[in-house]
């Protein structure tokens, strides 16, 4: 839903050792896709472990508005009775995707090749984000879009009545764009081909295969060439959503910087297109191990064990890894503040168009808390002060961005003075149990208003 109601001011303070088990919620990317593909299958898809954060609940509401029967069975179990590819009906009202770029972009793709007209909106953060990256490729199918200046929401999409298949090279590393084109390709006749130069999260491809679509990925000199055969009958699935590596990042990073910590984060999805942060942390000298590695529902999974790491070193993060950790740079920058030396992050222009401009949001909050940060259009450098030397003591702004809010709260747990966040309400979009979960581990985190 648009807006997040009253802002929730929060603060965190130097915490005792963090210990115990952190059961983080289900994967946000996989949760959106399970609901959308469930709605496009014929028959009943069962989902367990769904993330019940605001972003995903907005997608559930949207799927109902398109005619699917979506039922909350309790404790993360959901049933989706789909209407089939091309079976979406025209919603009566506006589709409000709240804070969720993934939700709105994937749903635009899914409806773009059906003869229906849909108006989308979101909260103040989402309504600032670029949508032309979606509507440009959708136009190739015959879809029309009318939005605000600069291709912003609110925006009306007129689905193509007689869609044609497309061949499209994604110009930026974006799984949302790739996925929107693939979902649109589902209801186009013939083969839709998407080429991505840099590999991004591949949950859509894996799940489409699971639902019975004909889809292949070929590694070529051009990049990954993904070919989807349109107008399949998708078969309903039983989907167990793994726990979210992007949420696991918060208790893991907190444990690395809070003295004496030892935290187990079980059942984390470690799809290689998502696990870049953990590789990076290990390169920095983190005491982080994978235990009980296994495969669940077509995704690699392990239990993560993170312990206090007093000898973290700044590194140059491999830019080739950026897409596999794109949501984790904010919290990485917090860990970098406690490392010795500079952590250099390049090839990250996409960070400027997330729920907030994440380079700007983190750089200003870190600087206010005594950490030197340099930045350019697509790079930034955090000059680490080493363990025990981060001053803290300042208020920060979350800019309606859940990951910025959580990152600064992690900073406060190990800084020398408390760190405030003006509005922690967006945390509910992706990690609604963040506060009790962190408090249970021993974090000092409070609501201040
Ligand atoms: C997502 C893709 C990424 C990521 C977002 C989730 C997805 O966005 O930042 O949180 O589920 O496809 P981009 O596609 O803009 O890189």
């Amino acid at each position: 839903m648009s807006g997040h109601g009253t802002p929730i001011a929060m603060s965190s303070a130097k915490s005792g050792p963090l210990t115990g088990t952190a059961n983080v919620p289900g994967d946000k990317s996989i949760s959106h896709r399970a609901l959308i593909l469930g709605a496009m299958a014929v028959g009943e898809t069962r989902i367990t472990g769904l993330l019940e954060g605001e972003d995903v609940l907005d997608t559930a509401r949207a799927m109902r508005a398109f005619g699917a029967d979506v039922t909350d069975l309790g404790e993360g179990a959901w049933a989706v009775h789909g209407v089939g590819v091309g079976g979406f009906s025209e919603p009566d009202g506006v589709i409000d995707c709240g804070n969720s770029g993934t939700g709105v972009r994937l749903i635009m793709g899914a409806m773009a090749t059906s003869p229906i007209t849909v108006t989308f909106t979101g909260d103040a953060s989402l309504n600032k984000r670029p949508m032309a990256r979606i509507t440009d490729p959708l136009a190739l199918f015959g879809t029309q879009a009318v939005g605000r200046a600069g291709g912003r929401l609110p925006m009306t999409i007129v689905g193509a009545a007689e869609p044609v298949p497309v061949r499209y090279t994604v110009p930026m590393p974006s799984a949302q764009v790739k996925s929107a084109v693939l979902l649109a390709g589902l209801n186009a006749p013939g083969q839709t081909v998407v080429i991505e130069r840099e590999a991004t999260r591949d949950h859509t491809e894996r799940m489409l295969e699971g639902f019975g679509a004909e889809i292949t990925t070929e590694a070529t000199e051009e990049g990954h060439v993904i070919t989807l055969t349109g107008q399949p009958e998708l078969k309903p699935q039983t989907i167990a959503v793994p726990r979210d590596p992007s949420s696991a990042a918060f208790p893991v990073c907190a444990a690395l910087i809070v003295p004496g910590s030892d935290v187990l984060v079980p059942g984390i999805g470690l799809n290689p297109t998502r696990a870049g942060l953990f590789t990076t942390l290990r390169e920095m000298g983190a005491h982080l191990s994978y235990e009980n590695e296994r495969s669940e529902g077509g995704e690699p999974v392990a239990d993560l064990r993170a312990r206090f790491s007093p000898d973290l070193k700044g590194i140059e993060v491999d830019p080739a890894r950026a897409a596999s950790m794109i949501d984790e740079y904010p919290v990485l920058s917090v860990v970098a503040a406690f490392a010795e030396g500079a952590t250099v992050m390049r090839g990250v222009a996409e960070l400027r168009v997330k729920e907030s401009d994440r380079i700007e949001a983190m750089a200003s909050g870190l600087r206010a808390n005594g950490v030197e940060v340099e930045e350019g259009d697509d790079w930034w450098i955090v000059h680490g002060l080493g363990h025990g030397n981060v001053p803290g003591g300042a208020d920060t702004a979350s800019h309606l961005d859940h990951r910025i809010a959580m990152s600064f709260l992690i900073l406060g747990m190990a800084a020398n003075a408390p760190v405030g966040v003006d509005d922690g309400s967006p945390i509910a979009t992706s990690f609604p149990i963040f506060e009790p979960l962190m408090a249970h581990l021993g974090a000092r985190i409070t609501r201040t208003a």
Side-chain angles (χ1 to χ4, degrees), residues 220-239:
T220 71
E221 270 176 18
E222 273 183 290
H224 282 115
V225 179
I226 306 158
T227 306
L228 172 73
T229 302
Q231 300 181 327
E233 180 173 308
L234 297 182
K235 312 230 171 348
Q237 297 299 298
T238 300
I239 299 171

Side-chain angles (χ1 to χ4, degrees), residues 183-272:
L183 292 173
L186 276 176
N187 199 34
Q191 292 192 323
T192 285
V193 179
V194 184
I195 299 147
E196 61 173 2
R197 296 195 193 94
E198 286 175 54
T200 63
R201 66 193 68 197
D202 62 357
H203 306 301
T204 304
E205 298 92 300
R206 287 179 191 239
M207 211 181 275
L208 276 168
E209 195 178 343
F211 272 88
E214 211 178 301
I215 181 165
T216 57
T217 300
E218 208 187 332
T220 71
E221 270 176 18
E222 273 183 290
H224 282 115
V225 179
I226 306 158
T227 306
L228 172 73
T229 302
Q231 300 181 327
E233 180 173 308
L234 297 182
K235 312 230 171 348
Q237 297 299 298
T238 300
I239 299 171
V241 180
R243 297 179 194 272
D244 198 326
S246 299
S247 295
F250 295 100
V252 163
C253 289
L256 302 180
I257 59 174
V258 172
S261 298
D262 188 346
V263 170
L264 188 71
V265 192
I268 299 305
L270 287 177
N271 181 317

Side-chain angles (χ1 to χ4, degrees), residues 20-24 243 251-252 263-266 268 431 437-438 440-441:
T21 300
N23 282 317
V24 304
R243 297 179 194 272
V252 163
V263 170
L264 188 71
V265 192
I268 299 305
F431 200 161
L437 179 144
M438 293 306 302
H440 170 76
L441 296 176

Side-chain angles (χ1 to χ4, degrees), residues 29 33 102 105 133 173-176 201 326-327 350 354:
S29 294
R33 287 159 172 80
T102 306
R105 290 172 172 151
R133 55 176 56 198
S174 170
Q176 293 174 358
R201 66 193 68 197
I326 196 67
D327 290 334
E350 282 293 302
K354 295 294 179 186

Side-chain angles (χ1 to χ4, degrees), residues 5-371:
T6 321
I8 301 173
M10 296 175 72
S11 158
S12 64
K14 211 171 194 139
S15 302
L18 303 179
T19 53
T21 300
N23 282 317
V24 304
D27 190 283
K28 182 150 72 73
S29 294
I30 295 177
S31 294
H32 283 295
R33 287 159 172 80
L35 289 171
I36 295 168
L37 285 178
M40 298 178 88
V42 178
E44 188 170 280
T45 287
R46 287 282 179 135
I47 309 168
T48 53
L50 190 85
L51 165 64
E52 293 176 345
E54 286 174 8
D55 278 10
V56 175
L57 296 177
D58 283 329
T59 290
R61 272 188 281 273
M63 290 303 103
R64 284 193 193 112
F66 283 99
D69 202 355
V70 183
T71 314
D72 177 358
L73 304 172
E75 297 185 8
W78 288 66
V80 183
H81 208 97
V83 293
V85 169
F88 279 167
S89 46
E90 190 170 270
D92 292 335
V94 171
I95 298 296
D96 188 340
C97 289
N99 193 250
S100 183
T102 306
V104 75
R105 290 172 172 151
L106 267 54
I107 296 168
M108 280 181 177
M111 58 71 52
T113 45
S114 291
I116 56 176
T117 296
V118 183
T119 300
F120 293 91
T121 192
D123 71 3
S125 155
L126 187 56
N127 288 359
K128 278 189 214 148
R129 298 180 67 185
M131 294 298 147
R133 55 176 56 198
I134 300 296
T135 54
D136 286 352
L138 294 185
L140 305 174
F141 288 96
T143 308
Q144 292 170 279
V146 186
R148 288 191 308 130
R152 318 275 155 177
L153 299 177
M155 178 175 274
T156 297
I157 308 281
V158 182
E162 288 177 28
V164 290
V166 312
R167 181 181 178 89
Y168 187 69
T169 302
V170 183
M172 71 288 289
S174 170
Q176 293 174 358
V177 176
K178 168 179 68 177
S179 300
V181 177
L182 288 172
L183 292 173
L186 276 176
N187 199 34
Q191 292 192 323
T192 285
V193 179
V194 184
I195 299 147
E196 61 173 2
R197 296 195 193 94
E198 286 175 54
T200 63
R201 66 193 68 197
D202 62 357
H203 306 301
T204 304
E205 298 92 300
R206 287 179 191 239
M207 211 181 275
L208 276 168
E209 195 178 343
F211 272 88
E214 211 178 301
I215 181 165
T216 57
T217 300
E218 208 187 332
T220 71
E221 270 176 18
E222 273 183 290
H224 282 115
V225 179
I226 306 158
T227 306
L228 172 73
T229 302
Q231 300 181 327
E233 180 173 308
L234 297 182
K235 312 230 171 348
Q237 297 299 298
T238 300
I239 299 171
V241 180
R243 297 179 194 272
D244 198 326
S246 299
S247 295
F250 295 100
V252 163
C253 289
L256 302 180
I257 59 174
V258 172
S261 298
D262 188 346
V263 170
L264 188 71
V265 192
I268 299 305
L270 287 177
N271 181 317
T273 62
R274 294 289 299 284
L277 171 74
F278 305 122
T279 309
T280 302
L281 292 171
R282 284 164 147 184
E283 285 177 6
M284 294 172 77
H287 298 299
L288 175 62
S289 53
Y290 294 174
E291 299 179 356
N292 194 13
E293 288 182 57
R294 56 207 186 265
S295 170
E296 281 177 16
E299 296 275 350
V301 165
D303 304 338
L304 303 184
R305 184 170 173 203
R307 283 169 296 141
F308 175 54
S309 305
D311 301 320
L312 293 167
K313 299 270 178 291
I315 60 163
E316 171 112 28
V317 181
D318 182 357
R321 204 181 285 149
S324 70
M325 53 182 287
I326 196 67
D327 290 334
E328 284 66 74
Y329 282 94
V331 74
L332 173 65
S333 72
V334 169
V335 174
F338 292 86
E340 293 283 352
T343 293
V344 181
M345 298 167 278
R346 296 192 194 282
V348 289
E350 282 293 302
L351 289 180
R352 297 216 178 260
V353 289
K354 295 294 179 186
E355 286 84 329
S356 66
D357 175 341
R358 286 182 168 162
I359 296 179
E360 163 60 25
M362 287 309 300
S364 53
L366 284 169
R367 285 182 194 128
N369 282 285
V371 181

